Amino acid sequence: MIDLYWTVIPVMLVHYYATHPMAHYDWWRSRIAILMTWVWGLRLTHNYFRREGWQWGAREDWRFTNMRQQYGKHWWWVSFFAVYLCQQVFLIGVSLPLYVVHSINKPLNIWDFIAVIVCVCGIIVAYYADTQLHEFVTMNAKLKDHGKPMVPSLDKGLWKYSRHPNYFGEQLWWWGLVIFAWNLGHGWTFLGALINSMCLAYVTMLVEDRMVKQDYRAEAYRLYQKTTSVWIPWFRSSAMGGKDKST
C-alpha cells in the first residue's frame, strides 16, 4: 500500500505549507506549485489504479515480495523501518522545495518559468511512458492468454530512446521543484531529489536484473541494454557501435 502514499502525501504537504499561519509567499508561485502538484498526483494515482486493474491493493509489489521471502519471520519489523517509516521521511525530504515556495515571498522571475517547464515536461514524459508501458503489458497479457509468443521487449515510442523514460520523467518533476527552491536561495533542498535519484538508480538495477532472468526476453533485453540509454532519452546505437538515427 506504500505506493498510494506517494500519490497523496506531496499534495497534502503543499496545502499544509500554504495554509500554515507562518506561511509567507508569492501568491502566483504558490498557486502554480499547488496546481502542478495536483496534476502530478492525479497522474500518478491514475497510473497506479490502471496498472492494478482499477483495484486497491490487489497485489504486492514484486520487490517487497522478494524482501518478504528474504527476511522471513522478521519481515514484519523490517518492513516497518525499511519500507514504511523511511519512505514517510523520504516523502517529506523530496517535498522540501514546496516548503521553501511557501516560506519566502519573492516576485516571479525567469527561473520560475524554467522550473515550470521542467516540471511539466516531467509529468508529460512520465504519463506517455507509463501509457506506452501499460499498452505493452496489456498486449502481452492477451498474447499469453491466446497461447501466442509474447513480445520480449518494449522498444517503441519513448522506450526507443530510453530504457526507463517513466523514471526519467519522474526525476524531471522532482528536480524541477528543486529549481524553485534554488531560485529562492535554498539550493540545499537538492539533497532530497539526489537521494531519490540514487534510490531510483538502485531500483533500475533491480528491474533490469529481473528482466534478464526471464528466459523469453533475456537475449532481447541484453541487446536492448547495449543499444539504448538507461534514463536520459538519446539516439539508439547499434550493438557494434555508432548511432542509429533511423525512424
Side-chain angles (χ1 to χ4, degrees):
M1 298 300 292
I2 193 66
D3 283 355
L4 287 177
Y5 279 92
W6 278 89
T7 71
V8 298
I9 296 299
V11 176
M12 295 174 66
L13 283 173
V14 73
H15 282 285
Y16 171 74
Y17 297 141
T19 57
H20 195 280
M22 296 182 66
H24 182 64
Y25 53 84
D26 178 83
W27 188 90
W28 280 107
R29 183 181 291 109
S30 169
R31 293 307 177 268
I32 290 171
I34 291 173
L35 176 61
M36 290 197 307
T37 304
W38 266 98
V39 173
W40 170 85
L42 289 172
R43 185 211 73 79
L44 204 60
T45 302
H46 170 262
N47 183 63
Y48 170 82
F49 282 109
R50 177 176 61 179
R51 185 187 69 207
E52 301 300 316
W54 308 104
Q55 300 179 77
W56 183 307
R59 63 189 178 95
E60 185 176 52
D61 188 298
W62 61 268
R63 292 164 293 187
F64 300 148
T65 300
N66 290 347
M67 291 175 69
R68 179 188 299 278
Q69 295 171 350
Q70 178 182 353
Y71 291 103
K73 64 180 181 180
H74 299 293
W75 173 238
W76 70 270
W77 65 267
V78 171
S79 65
F80 176 78
F81 290 102
V83 179
Y84 295 99
L85 183 61
C86 74
Q87 290 210 42
Q88 301 302 320
V89 178
F90 197 11
L91 277 164
I92 293 174
V94 294
S95 299
L96 280 175
L98 298 174
Y99 160 74
V100 174
V101 165
H102 293 96
S103 62
I104 297 175
N105 189 353
K106 177 182 176 181
L108 291 174
N109 59 38
I110 187 63
W111 286 105
D112 291 295
F113 292 101
I114 292 174
V116 169
I117 291 172
V118 174
C119 287
V120 171
C121 285
I123 294 172
I124 293 173
V125 169
Y127 171 77
Y128 280 104
D130 280 332
T131 297
Q132 291 165 3
L133 177 60
H134 174 71
E135 292 172 350
F136 174 77
V137 171
T138 301
M139 176 191 68
N140 263 350
K142 291 180 179 178
L143 290 173
K144 184 178 181 180
D145 289 341
H146 288 85
K148 298 180 179 179
M150 293 187 290
V151 179
S153 182
L154 171 58
D155 58 359
K156 307 295 183 183
L158 292 174
W159 299 79
K160 179 179 180 179
Y161 305 99
S162 169
R163 301 204 299 269
H164 303 277
N166 50 345
Y167 293 172
F168 174 70
E170 189 69 4
Q171 292 308 294
L172 282 180
W173 160 255
W174 293 115
W175 284 98
L177 292 184
V178 170
I179 297 175
F180 277 114
W182 171 82
N183 181 43
L184 295 172
H186 287 268
W188 60 270
T189 58
F190 85 94
L191 290 173
L194 177 62
I195 295 173
N196 185 38
S197 295
M198 293 170 63
C199 290
L200 205 52
Y202 176 68
V203 171
T204 298
M205 290 190 294
L206 292 179
V207 171
E208 299 210 339
D209 285 345
R210 187 180 189 226
M211 292 295 184
V212 297
K213 288 178 180 177
Q214 296 174 332
D215 292 337
Y216 81 96
R217 67 165 30 129
E219 183 178 352
Y221 199 82
R222 288 193 182 96
L223 178 61
Y224 184 53
Q225 288 177 310
K226 293 178 180 179
T227 59
T228 311
S229 172
V230 180
W231 275 0
I232 301 175
W234 192 245
F235 295 110
R236 297 186 68 177
S237 62
S238 68
M240 300 299 293
K243 303 300 179 184
D244 178 10
K245 298 185 180 181
S246 61
T247 55

